Amino acid sequence: LLLMRAAHAVIFICGRTGTLNEFTICYEDGRLGGVLEGTGGTSAMIKNIIEKSNKEGPEVIYDSDPEKLVNRLIKLIDEKEKVG
């Protein structure tokens, strides 16, 4: 819980129920999220969970390339910090 709330953004890779818990904490707290596509597990369900939640939340981005995913998240964090 503390780690999720201290992060500017969180990357979700594969996972099970713990990953689901971490995702919901981040989403509810407004943290940026990144999903590494193609890893299966809970991370493969995140798009569907967001759609079914019927709730506006923070930006969640998806990429199958880990380096691109990290770079995109860093860019979003930088943009968010310039605004806020």
Side-chain angles (χ1 to χ4, degrees):
L1 180 62
L2 293 175
L3 183 60
M4 296 303 105
R5 291 199 166 147
H8 291 284
V10 179
I11 297 175
F12 301 97
I13 302 168
C14 194
R16 296 182 304 205
T17 56
T19 302
L20 177 59
N21 184 44
E22 291 164 347
F23 169 73
T24 57
I25 290 167
C26 291
Y27 195 74
E28 290 294 322
D29 283 354
R31 303 279 183 271
L32 295 172
V35 177
L36 186 61
E37 295 183 302
T39 59
T42 299
S43 64
M45 297 182 259
I46 290 178
K47 271 186 189 176
N48 194 28
I49 291 167
I50 291 171
E51 288 173 9
K52 293 196 182 289
S53 73
N54 201 23
K55 179 183 177 188
E56 189 87 15
E59 188 163 1
V60 178
I61 61 173
Y62 305 83
D63 207 307
S64 59
D65 182 314
E67 187 173 347
K68 287 181 184 176
L69 181 62
V70 170
N71 289 334
R72 289 174 61 198
L73 279 173
I74 290 170
K75 184 177 178 184
L76 286 173
I77 292 166
D78 289 344
E79 289 172 3
K80 189 175 179 181
E81 287 183 358
K82 286 178 186 175
V83 173

Coordinates of all heavy atoms in Angstrom, one line a residue:
L1 N 0.8 -1.2 0.0 CA 0.0 0.0 0.0 C 0.9 1.3 0.0 O 0.7 2.2 -0.8 CB -0.9 0.0 1.2 CG -1.9 1.2 1.4 CD1 -2.8 1.3 0.2 CD2 -2.6 1.1 2.7
L2 N 1.9 1.3 0.9 CA 2.7 2.5 0.9 C 3.5 2.7 -0.4 O 3.7 3.8 -0.8 CB 3.7 2.4 2.1 CG 3.0 2.4 3.5 CD1 4.1 2.2 4.6 CD2 2.3 3.7 3.7
L3 N 4.0 1.6 -0.9 CA 4.8 1.7 -2.2 C 3.9 2.2 -3.3 O 4.3 3.1 -4.1 CB 5.3 0.3 -2.5 CG 6.2 0.3 -3.8 CD1 7.4 1.2 -3.6 CD2 6.7 -1.2 -4.0
M4 N 2.7 1.7 -3.4 CA 1.8 2.2 -4.5 C 1.4 3.6 -4.3 O 1.3 4.4 -5.2 CB 0.4 1.4 -4.4 CG 0.6 -0.1 -4.7 SD 1.4 -0.4 -6.3 CE 3.0 -1.0 -5.8
R5 N 1.2 4.1 -3.1 CA 0.9 5.5 -2.8 C 2.1 6.4 -2.9 O 1.9 7.6 -3.1 CB 0.2 5.6 -1.5 CG -1.2 4.9 -1.5 CD -2.1 5.4 -0.4 NE -3.4 5.0 -0.8 CZ -4.3 4.6 0.2 NH1 -4.0 4.7 1.4 NH2 -5.5 4.3 -0.2
A6 N 3.3 5.9 -2.9 CA 4.5 6.8 -3.0 C 4.9 6.9 -4.4 O 5.7 7.8 -4.7 CB 5.6 6.2 -2.1
A7 N 4.4 6.1 -5.3 CA 4.9 6.1 -6.7 C 4.2 7.2 -7.5 O 3.1 7.5 -7.3 CB 4.6 4.7 -7.3
H8 N 5.0 7.7 -8.5 CA 4.4 8.6 -9.5 C 3.6 7.8 -10.5 O 2.6 8.3 -11.1 CB 5.5 9.4 -10.2 CG 6.1 10.4 -9.3 ND1 5.6 11.6 -9.0 CD2 7.3 10.4 -8.7 CE1 6.4 12.3 -8.2 NE2 7.5 11.5 -8.0
A9 N 4.1 6.6 -10.8 CA 3.5 5.7 -11.8 C 3.8 4.3 -11.4 O 4.8 4.1 -10.8 CB 3.9 6.0 -13.2
V10 N 3.0 3.4 -11.9 CA 3.3 1.9 -11.6 C 3.1 1.1 -12.9 O 2.2 1.4 -13.7 CB 2.3 1.4 -10.5 CG1 2.5 0.0 -10.2 CG2 2.4 2.2 -9.2
I11 N 4.0 0.2 -13.1 CA 3.9 -0.7 -14.2 C 3.4 -2.1 -13.8 O 3.9 -2.6 -12.8 CB 5.3 -0.8 -14.9 CG1 5.8 0.6 -15.4 CG2 5.3 -1.8 -16.0 CD1 7.2 0.6 -16.0
F12 N 2.5 -2.6 -14.5 CA 1.9 -3.9 -14.2 C 2.3 -4.9 -15.2 O 2.2 -4.7 -16.4 CB 0.4 -3.8 -14.1 CG -0.1 -2.7 -13.1 CD1 -0.4 -1.5 -13.5 CD2 -0.2 -3.1 -11.8 CE1 -0.8 -0.5 -12.6 CE2 -0.5 -2.1 -10.9 CZ -0.8 -0.8 -11.3
I13 N 2.9 -6.0 -14.7 CA 3.4 -7.1 -15.5 C 2.8 -8.4 -15.0 O 3.1 -8.7 -13.8 CB 5.0 -7.1 -15.4 CG1 5.5 -5.8 -15.9 CG2 5.5 -8.3 -16.3 CD1 7.0 -5.6 -15.6
C14 N 2.1 -9.1 -15.8 CA 1.6 -10.4 -15.4 C 0.8 -10.3 -14.1 O -0.1 -9.4 -14.0 CB 2.7 -11.4 -15.3 SG 2.1 -13.1 -15.2
G15 N 1.0 -11.1 -13.2 CA 0.4 -10.9 -11.8 C -0.8 -11.8 -11.6 O -1.4 -12.5 -12.5
R16 N -1.2 -11.7 -10.3 CA -2.4 -12.4 -9.8 C -3.2 -11.5 -9.0 O -3.3 -10.3 -9.3 CB -2.0 -13.7 -9.1 CG -1.2 -14.7 -10.0 CD -0.9 -16.0 -9.3 NE -0.1 -15.7 -8.1 CZ 0.8 -16.5 -7.5 NH1 0.9 -17.7 -8.1 NH2 1.5 -16.2 -6.5
T17 N -3.7 -11.9 -7.9 CA -4.6 -11.1 -7.0 C -3.9 -9.9 -6.4 O -4.4 -8.9 -6.2 CB -5.3 -11.9 -5.9 OG1 -4.4 -12.6 -5.1 CG2 -6.3 -12.9 -6.5
G18 N -2.6 -10.1 -6.1 CA -1.8 -9.0 -5.5 C -1.7 -7.8 -6.5 O -1.8 -6.7 -6.2
T19 N -1.5 -8.2 -7.8 CA -1.4 -7.2 -8.8 C -2.7 -6.5 -9.0 O -2.8 -5.3 -9.2 CB -0.9 -7.9 -10.2 OG1 0.3 -8.5 -9.9 CG2 -0.8 -6.8 -11.3
L20 N -3.8 -7.2 -8.9 CA -5.1 -6.6 -9.0 C -5.3 -5.6 -7.9 O -5.8 -4.5 -8.1 CB -6.2 -7.7 -9.0 CG -7.7 -7.2 -9.0 CD1 -7.9 -6.4 -10.2 CD2 -8.6 -8.4 -8.9
N21 N -4.9 -6.0 -6.7 CA -5.0 -5.1 -5.5 C -4.2 -3.8 -5.8 O -4.6 -2.7 -5.5 CB -4.6 -5.8 -4.3 CG -4.8 -5.0 -3.0 OD1 -5.8 -4.3 -2.8 ND2 -3.8 -5.0 -2.2
E22 N -2.9 -4.0 -6.2 CA -2.1 -2.9 -6.5 C -2.6 -2.0 -7.6 O -2.6 -0.7 -7.4 CB -0.7 -3.4 -6.9 CG 0.1 -4.0 -5.7 CD 1.2 -4.9 -6.2 OE1 1.4 -5.1 -7.4 OE2 2.0 -5.2 -5.3
F23 N -3.2 -2.6 -8.6 CA -3.8 -1.7 -9.7 C -5.0 -0.9 -9.1 O -5.1 0.3 -9.4 CB -4.3 -2.6 -10.8 CG -5.2 -1.8 -11.8 CD1 -4.6 -0.9 -12.6 CD2 -6.5 -2.0 -11.8 CE1 -5.4 -0.1 -13.5 CE2 -7.3 -1.2 -12.6 CZ -6.7 -0.3 -13.4
T24 N -5.9 -1.5 -8.3 CA -7.0 -0.8 -7.8 C -6.6 0.4 -6.9 O -7.2 1.4 -6.9 CB -8.1 -1.7 -7.2 OG1 -7.4 -2.4 -6.1 CG2 -8.7 -2.7 -8.1
I25 N -5.6 0.1 -6.1 CA -5.1 1.2 -5.2 C -4.6 2.4 -6.1 O -4.9 3.5 -5.9 CB -3.9 0.7 -4.3 CG1 -4.5 -0.3 -3.3 CG2 -3.2 1.9 -3.6 CD1 -3.4 -1.1 -2.5
C26 N -3.8 2.1 -7.1 CA -3.2 3.1 -8.0 C -4.3 3.8 -8.7 O -4.3 5.1 -8.8 CB -2.2 2.5 -8.9 SG -0.7 1.9 -8.1
Y27 N -5.2 3.1 -9.3 CA -6.3 3.7 -10.1 C -7.2 4.6 -9.2 O -7.5 5.7 -9.6 CB -7.1 2.6 -10.7 CG -8.0 3.0 -11.8 CD1 -7.5 3.4 -13.1 CD2 -9.4 3.2 -11.7 CE1 -8.3 3.8 -14.1 CE2 -10.2 3.6 -12.7 CZ -9.6 3.9 -13.9 OH -10.4 4.4 -14.9
E28 N -7.5 4.1 -8.0 CA -8.4 4.9 -7.1 C -7.6 6.2 -6.6 O -8.2 7.2 -6.4 CB -8.8 4.1 -6.0 CG -9.9 3.0 -6.3 CD -11.2 3.6 -6.8 OE1 -11.7 4.6 -6.3 OE2 -11.8 3.1 -7.7
D29 N -6.3 6.1 -6.5 CA -5.5 7.2 -6.0 C -5.1 8.1 -7.1 O -4.4 9.1 -6.8 CB -4.3 6.7 -5.2 CG -4.6 6.2 -3.8 OD1 -5.7 6.3 -3.4 OD2 -3.7 5.6 -3.2
G30 N -5.4 7.8 -8.3 CA -5.0 8.7 -9.4 C -3.6 8.6 -9.9 O -3.1 9.5 -10.6
R31 N -3.0 7.5 -9.7 CA -1.6 7.2 -10.2 C -1.6 6.8 -11.6 O -2.5 6.0 -12.1 CB -0.9 6.1 -9.4 CG -0.8 6.3 -7.9 CD 0.3 7.3 -7.5 NE 0.4 7.4 -6.1 CZ -0.2 8.3 -5.4 NH1 -1.0 9.2 -5.9 NH2 0.0 8.4 -4.1
L32 N -0.6 7.3 -12.4 CA -0.5 6.8 -13.8 C -0.1 5.3 -13.8 O 0.5 4.9 -12.8 CB 0.7 7.6 -14.4 CG 0.5 9.1 -14.7 CD1 1.8 9.7 -15.2 CD2 -0.6 9.3 -15.7
G33 N -0.6 4.6 -14.7 CA -0.3 3.2 -14.8 C 0.2 2.8 -16.2 O -0.2 3.4 -17.2
G34 N 1.0 1.8 -16.2 CA 1.5 1.3 -17.4 C 1.4 -0.2 -17.4 O 1.7 -0.9 -16.4
V35 N 0.9 -0.8 -18.5 CA 0.7 -2.2 -18.6 C 1.6 -2.8 -19.6 O 1.5 -2.3 -20.8 CB -0.8 -2.6 -18.9 CG1 -1.0 -4.1 -19.0 CG2 -1.7 -2.0 -17.8
L36 N 2.5 -3.7 -19.3 CA 3.3 -4.4 -20.2 C 2.5 -5.5 -20.9 O 2.1 -6.5 -20.2 CB 4.6 -5.0 -19.6 CG 5.6 -5.6 -20.5 CD1 6.1 -4.6 -21.5 CD2 6.7 -6.2 -19.8
E37 N 2.1 -5.3 -22.1 CA 1.2 -6.2 -22.8 C 1.9 -7.5 -23.2 O 3.2 -7.5 -23.4 CB 0.6 -5.6 -24.1 CG -0.3 -4.4 -23.8 CD -0.9 -3.8 -25.0 OE1 -0.1 -3.4 -25.9 OE2 -2.1 -3.8 -25.1
G38 N 1.2 -8.6 -23.2 CA 1.7 -9.9 -23.7 C 2.3 -10.7 -22.5 O 2.9 -11.7 -22.8
T39 N 2.1 -10.2 -21.3 CA 2.6 -11.0 -20.1 C 1.6 -11.8 -19.4 O 1.9 -12.6 -18.5 CB 3.3 -10.0 -19.1 OG1 2.3 -9.1 -18.6 CG2 4.5 -9.3 -19.7
G40 N 0.3 -11.7 -19.9 CA -0.8 -12.5 -19.3 C -1.2 -12.1 -17.9 O -0.9 -11.0 -17.5
G41 N -1.8 -13.0 -17.2 CA -2.2 -12.8 -15.8 C -3.1 -11.6 -15.7 O -3.9 -11.2 -16.6
T42 N -3.1 -11.0 -14.5 CA -4.0 -9.9 -14.2 C -3.8 -8.7 -15.1 O -4.8 -8.0 -15.5 CB -3.8 -9.4 -12.7 OG1 -4.1 -10.5 -11.9 CG2 -4.7 -8.3 -12.4
S43 N -2.6 -8.4 -15.5 CA -2.3 -7.3 -16.4 C -3.1 -7.4 -17.7 O -3.5 -6.4 -18.3 CB -0.8 -7.1 -16.6 OG -0.3 -8.2 -17.3
A44 N -3.4 -8.6 -18.2 CA -4.1 -8.8 -19.4 C -5.6 -8.4 -19.2 O -6.3 -8.2 -20.2 CB -4.0 -10.2 -19.9
M45 N -6.1 -8.3 -18.0 CA -7.5 -8.0 -17.7 C -7.7 -6.5 -17.4 O -8.9 -6.1 -17.3 CB -7.9 -8.8 -16.5 CG -7.9 -10.3 -16.8 SD -8.6 -11.2 -15.3 CE -7.0 -11.7 -14.6
I46 N -6.7 -5.7 -17.3 CA -6.8 -4.3 -16.8 C -7.7 -3.5 -17.7 O -8.6 -2.8 -17.2 CB -5.4 -3.7 -16.5 CG1 -4.8 -4.4 -15.3 CG2 -5.6 -2.2 -16.4 CD1 -3.4 -3.9 -14.9
K47 N -7.5 -3.6 -19.0 CA -8.4 -2.8 -19.9 C -9.9 -3.1 -19.7 O -10.7 -2.2 -19.6 CB -8.1 -3.1 -21.4 CG -7.0 -2.3 -22.0 CD -6.9 -2.6 -23.5 CE -5.7 -1.9 -24.0 NZ -5.4 -2.3 -25.4
N48 N -10.2 -4.4 -19.6 CA -11.5 -4.8 -19.3 C -12.1 -4.3 -18.0 O -13.2 -3.9 -17.8 CB -11.6 -6.3 -19.4 CG -13.0 -6.8 -19.5 OD1 -13.9 -6.2 -20.0 ND2 -13.3 -8.1 -19.0
I49 N -11.2 -4.4 -17.0 CA -11.6 -3.9 -15.6 C -11.9 -2.4 -15.7 O -12.9 -2.0 -15.1 CB -10.5 -4.2 -14.6 CG1 -10.4 -5.7 -14.4 CG2 -10.7 -3.5 -13.3 CD1 -9.1 -6.1 -13.6
I50 N -11.1 -1.6 -16.4 CA -11.4 -0.2 -16.5 C -12.7 0.1 -17.2 O -13.5 0.9 -16.7 CB -10.2 0.5 -17.2 CG1 -8.9 0.5 -16.3 CG2 -10.5 1.9 -17.5 CD1 -7.7 0.9 -16.9
E51 N -12.9 -0.6 -18.3 CA -14.1 -0.4 -19.1 C -15.4 -0.8 -18.2 O -16.3 0.0 -18.2 CB -14.1 -1.3 -20.3 CG -13.2 -0.8 -21.4 CD -13.0 -1.8 -22.5 OE1 -13.8 -2.8 -22.6 OE2 -12.1 -1.6 -23.4
K52 N -15.3 -1.9 -17.5 CA -16.4 -2.3 -16.7 C -16.6 -1.5 -15.4 O -17.7 -1.5 -14.8 CB -16.3 -3.8 -16.4 CG -16.4 -4.6 -17.6 CD -16.7 -6.1 -17.3 CE -16.8 -6.9 -18.5 NZ -17.9 -6.7 -19.4
S53 N -15.6 -0.8 -15.0 CA -15.7 0.0 -13.7 C -16.6 1.2 -13.9 O -17.1 1.7 -12.9 CB -14.3 0.5 -13.3 OG -13.8 1.5 -14.1
N54 N -16.8 1.6 -15.2 CA -17.6 2.8 -15.5 C -17.2 4.0 -14.6 O -18.1 4.7 -14.1 CB -19.1 2.4 -15.2 CG -20.0 3.3 -16.0 OD1 -19.6 3.9 -17.0 ND2 -21.3 3.4 -15.5
K55 N -15.9 4.2 -14.5 CA -15.4 5.3 -13.7 C -14.2 5.9 -14.4 O -13.4 5.3 -14.9 CB -14.9 4.7 -12.3 CG -14.4 5.8 -11.4 CD -13.8 5.2 -10.1 CE -13.2 6.4 -9.4 NZ -12.6 6.0 -8.2
E56 N -14.2 7.3 -14.4 CA -13.1 8.0 -14.9 C -11.9 7.9 -14.0 O -12.1 8.0 -12.7 CB -13.5 9.5 -15.0 CG -12.5 10.3 -15.8 CD -12.8 10.3 -17.3 OE1 -13.8 9.9 -17.7 OE2 -11.9 10.8 -18.0
G57 N -10.8 7.6 -14.5 CA -9.6 7.4 -13.7 C -8.4 8.0 -14.3 O -8.5 8.7 -15.3
P58 N -7.2 7.8 -13.8 CA -6.0 8.3 -14.3 C -5.6 7.6 -15.6 O -6.2 6.6 -16.0 CB -4.9 8.0 -13.3 CG -5.5 6.7 -12.6 CD -7.0 6.9 -12.6
E59 N -4.7 8.1 -16.3 CA -4.3 7.6 -17.6 C -3.6 6.2 -17.4 O -2.7 6.1 -16.5 CB -3.4 8.5 -18.4 CG -3.1 8.0 -19.8 CD -2.5 9.1 -20.6 OE1 -2.3 10.3 -20.2 OE2 -2.2 8.8 -21.8
V60 N -3.9 5.2 -18.1 CA -3.3 3.9 -18.1 C -2.8 3.7 -19.6 O -3.6 3.7 -20.5 CB -4.2 2.8 -17.6 CG1 -3.5 1.5 -17.7 CG2 -4.7 3.1 -16.2
I61 N -1.5 3.5 -19.7 CA -1.0 3.2 -21.1 C -0.6 1.8 -21.2 O -0.3 1.1 -20.2 CB 0.1 4.2 -21.4 CG1 1.3 4.0 -20.5 CG2 -0.4 5.6 -21.4 CD1 2.5 4.8 -20.9
Y62 N -0.5 1.3 -22.5 CA -0.2 -0.1 -22.8 C 0.9 -0.1 -23.8 O 0.9 0.6 -24.8 CB -1.5 -0.8 -23.3 CG -2.7 -0.7 -22.4 CD1 -3.5 0.5 -22.4 CD2 -2.9 -1.7 -21.5 CE1 -4.5 0.6 -21.5 CE2 -4.0 -1.6 -20.6 CZ -4.8 -0.4 -20.6 OH -5.9 -0.3 -19.8
D63 N 1.8 -1.1 -23.7 CA 2.8 -1.3 -24.7 C 3.4 -2.6 -24.5 O 3.5 -3.1 -23.3 CB 3.9 -0.2 -24.6 CG 4.6 0.0 -25.9 OD1 5.1 -0.9 -26.5 OD2 4.7 1.2 -26.3
S64 N 3.9 -3.3 -25.5 CA 4.5 -4.6 -25.4 C 6.0 -4.5 -25.3 O 6.7 -5.5 -25.1 CB 4.1 -5.5 -26.6 OG 4.5 -4.8 -27.8
D65 N 6.5 -3.3 -25.5 CA 8.0 -3.1 -25.4 C 8.3 -2.4 -24.1 O 7.8 -1.2 -23.9 CB 8.4 -2.2 -26.6 CG 9.9 -1.9 -26.6 OD1 10.5 -1.6 -25.5 OD2 10.5 -2.0 -27.7
P66 N 9.0 -3.1 -23.2 CA 9.2 -2.5 -21.9 C 9.9 -1.2 -21.9 O 9.6 -0.3 -21.1 CB 10.1 -3.6 -21.2 CG 10.3 -4.7 -22.1 CD 9.6 -4.4 -23.4
E67 N 10.9 -1.0 -22.8 CA 11.6 0.3 -22.8 C 10.7 1.4 -23.3 O 10.8 2.5 -22.7 CB 12.8 0.1 -23.8 CG 13.7 1.4 -23.7 CD 15.0 1.2 -24.5 OE1 15.3 0.0 -24.9 OE2 15.7 2.2 -24.8
K68 N 9.9 1.2 -24.3 CA 9.0 2.2 -24.7 C 8.0 2.5 -23.7 O 7.6 3.7 -23.5 CB 8.2 1.7 -26.0 CG 9.1 1.7 -27.2 CD 8.3 1.3 -28.4 CE 9.2 1.2 -29.7 NZ 8.4 0.6 -30.8
L69 N 7.5 1.5 -22.9 CA 6.5 1.7 -21.9 C 7.1 2.7 -20.8 O 6.5 3.6 -20.4 CB 6.1 0.4 -21.3 CG 5.0 0.5 -20.2 CD1 3.7 1.1 -20.7 CD2 4.8 -0.9 -19.6
V70 N 8.3 2.4 -20.4 CA 9.0 3.2 -19.3 C 9.2 4.6 -19.8 O 8.9 5.6 -19.1 CB 10.3 2.5 -18.9 CG1 11.1 3.5 -18.0 CG2 10.0 1.2 -18.1
N71 N 9.7 4.8 -21.1 CA 9.9 6.1 -21.6 C 8.6 6.9 -21.7 O 8.6 8.1 -21.4 CB 10.6 6.0 -22.9 CG 12.1 5.6 -22.8 OD1 12.7 5.8 -21.8 ND2 12.6 4.9 -23.8
R72 N 7.5 6.2 -22.1 CA 6.2 6.9 -22.2 C 5.8 7.4 -20.9 O 5.2 8.5 -20.7 CB 5.2 6.0 -22.9 CG 5.5 5.8 -24.4 CD 4.6 4.8 -25.0 NE 3.2 5.3 -24.9 CZ 2.1 4.4 -25.1 NH1 2.3 3.1 -25.3 NH2 0.9 4.9 -25.0
L73 N 5.9 6.5 -19.9 CA 5.5 6.9 -18.5 C 6.3 8.1 -18.0 O 5.8 9.0 -17.3 CB 5.6 5.7 -17.6 CG 4.4 4.7 -17.6 CD1 4.7 3.5 -16.8 CD2 3.1 5.4 -17.2
I74 N 7.6 8.0 -18.2 CA 8.5 9.1 -17.7 C 8.0 10.4 -18.4 O 8.0 11.5 -17.7 CB 10.0 8.8 -18.0 CG1 10.5 7.7 -17.1 CG2 10.8 10.1 -17.9 CD1 11.8 7.1 -17.5
K75 N 7.7 10.4 -19.7 CA 7.3 11.6 -20.4 C 6.0 12.1 -19.7 O 5.8 13.3 -19.5 CB 7.1 11.3 -21.8 CG 6.7 12.5 -22.7 CD 6.6 12.1 -24.1 CE 6.1 13.4 -24.9 NZ 5.9 13.1 -26.3
L76 N 5.0 11.2 -19.5 CA 3.8 11.6 -18.8 C 4.0 12.2 -17.4 O 3.3 13.2 -17.1 CB 2.8 10.4 -18.8 CG 2.2 10.0 -20.1 CD1 1.4 8.7 -19.9 CD2 1.2 11.1 -20.6
I77 N 4.9 11.6 -16.7 CA 5.2 12.1 -15.3 C 5.8 13.5 -15.4 O 5.3 14.5 -14.7 CB 6.2 11.2 -14.6 CG1 5.5 9.9 -14.2 CG2 6.7 11.9 -13.3 CD1 6.4 8.8 -13.8
D78 N 6.7 13.7 -16.4 CA 7.3 15.0 -16.6 C 6.3 16.1 -17.0 O 6.3 17.2 -16.4 CB 8.4 15.0 -17.6 CG 9.7 14.3 -17.1 OD1 9.8 14.1 -15.9 OD2 10.5 13.9 -18.0
E79 N 5.4 15.7 -17.9 CA 4.3 16.6 -18.3 C 3.4 17.0 -17.1 O 3.0 18.1 -17.0 CB 3.5 16.0 -19.4 CG 4.3 15.9 -20.8 CD 3.6 15.1 -21.8 OE1 2.4 14.6 -21.6 OE2 4.2 14.9 -22.9
K80 N 3.0 16.0 -16.4 CA 2.1 16.2 -15.2 C 2.8 17.1 -14.2 O 2.1 18.0 -13.6 CB 1.8 14.8 -14.6 CG 0.7 14.9 -13.6 CD 0.3 13.5 -13.1 CE -0.7 13.5 -12.0 NZ -1.1 12.2 -11.5
E81 N 4.1 16.9 -13.9 CA 4.7 17.8 -13.0 C 4.9 19.2 -13.4 O 4.9 20.1 -12.6 CB 6.1 17.2 -12.6 CG 6.0 15.9 -11.8 CD 7.3 15.3 -11.3 OE1 8.4 15.9 -11.7 OE2 7.3 14.3 -10.6
K82 N 5.0 19.4 -14.7 CA 5.1 20.8 -15.3 C 3.8 21.5 -15.1 O 3.7 22.7 -14.8 CB 5.5 20.8 -16.8 CG 6.9 20.4 -17.0 CD 7.2 20.4 -18.5 CE 8.6 19.9 -18.7 NZ 8.9 19.7 -20.1
V83 N 2.6 20.8 -15.3 CA 1.3 21.4 -15.1 C 1.0 21.6 -13.6 O 0.4 22.6 -13.3 CB 0.2 20.5 -15.8 CG1 -1.1 21.0 -15.5 CG2 0.5 20.4 -17.2
G84 N 1.3 20.6 -12.8 CA 0.9 20.7 -11.4 C 2.0 21.3 -10.6 O 2.1 22.0 -9.8

